[in-house]
Amino acid sequence: ATATKPASLLSVSSMTIADVDKDRQFEVVAEAEFLPCCAGDAQRTPYIERIVLEVQGPRITRSRE
């Protein structure tokens, strides 16, 4: 997704817990499929993205790897 074109989450094909950046803190790693906005857009083909989330207590943030 971009600031001007949002995307819809279609599915999550996998989700794992791993120490991605080798800092002894574990992250949630998900492989997800998205569909970009908007109906009628010729470039509207699904794409897969790897998402890394850092969880600290109740706070969840997206890692920029």
Side-chain angles (χ1 to χ4, degrees):
T2 67
T4 58
K5 286 189 135 186
S8 298
L9 176 64
L10 294 178
S11 66
V12 176
S13 59
S14 69
M15 189 174 289
T16 58
I17 306 296
D19 184 3
V20 176
D21 50 8
K22 307 299 184 219
D23 64 353
R24 299 180 139 181
Q25 300 293 316
F26 289 90
E27 291 83 28
V28 177
V29 181
E31 295 287 332
E33 183 176 24
F34 293 91
L35 183 63
C37 175
C38 296
D41 187 345
Q43 300 299 319
R44 193 171 191 225
T45 56
Y47 62 93
I48 296 175
E49 187 171 329
R50 179 178 186 245
I51 300 168
V52 179
L53 302 173
E54 296 176 357
V55 180
Q56 292 182 349
R59 190 182 76 185
I60 301 172
T61 54
R62 184 170 180 180
S63 174
R64 295 295 163 201
E65 292 181 79

